[in-house]
Amino acid sequence: MAKIKGAVVVDQERCKGCDLCVTACPTSVLELHPREVNNKGYHYAYMKNPDDCIGCSSCGLVCPDGCLTIYKVKV
């Protein structure tokens, strides 16, 4: 069985830091950036542990603003 490697691309300017994607991630890949904010003043989501991403798309399904794009690659 092939291993799946995932990647999440966050549209940082659209992200409002609602934390839903962080909560939905089963492998704790995402986190709200602790120091940086976007132009609207929100702490945006980013991949804290990119090597743990399995590309399940749970984060993208719960994002109310469609800020996340999820990629999957067989390794």
Side-chain angles (χ1 to χ4, degrees):
M1 188 164 116
K3 181 175 164 96
I4 302 291
K5 175 82 173 132
V8 178
V9 177
V10 180
D11 184 344
Q12 297 174 354
E13 292 307 316
R14 287 183 58 194
C15 181
K16 62 183 179 188
C18 68
D19 204 39
L20 291 174
C21 60
V22 175
T23 305
C25 182
T27 56
S28 300
V29 171
L30 297 173
E31 183 177 273
L32 293 182
H33 206 289
R35 293 179 298 278
E36 294 182 25
V37 294
N38 60 18
N39 288 338
K40 296 177 185 174
Y42 297 119
H43 291 276
Y44 54 84
Y46 77 106
M47 290 184 75
K48 180 181 179 185
N49 305 311
D51 293 335
D52 295 340
C53 185
I54 57 173
C56 67
S57 300
S58 293
C59 56
L61 291 172
V62 298
C63 181
D65 298 316
C67 301
L68 307 176
T69 305
I70 297 87
Y71 297 98
K72 295 184 205 181
V73 177
K74 287 184 183 179
V75 189

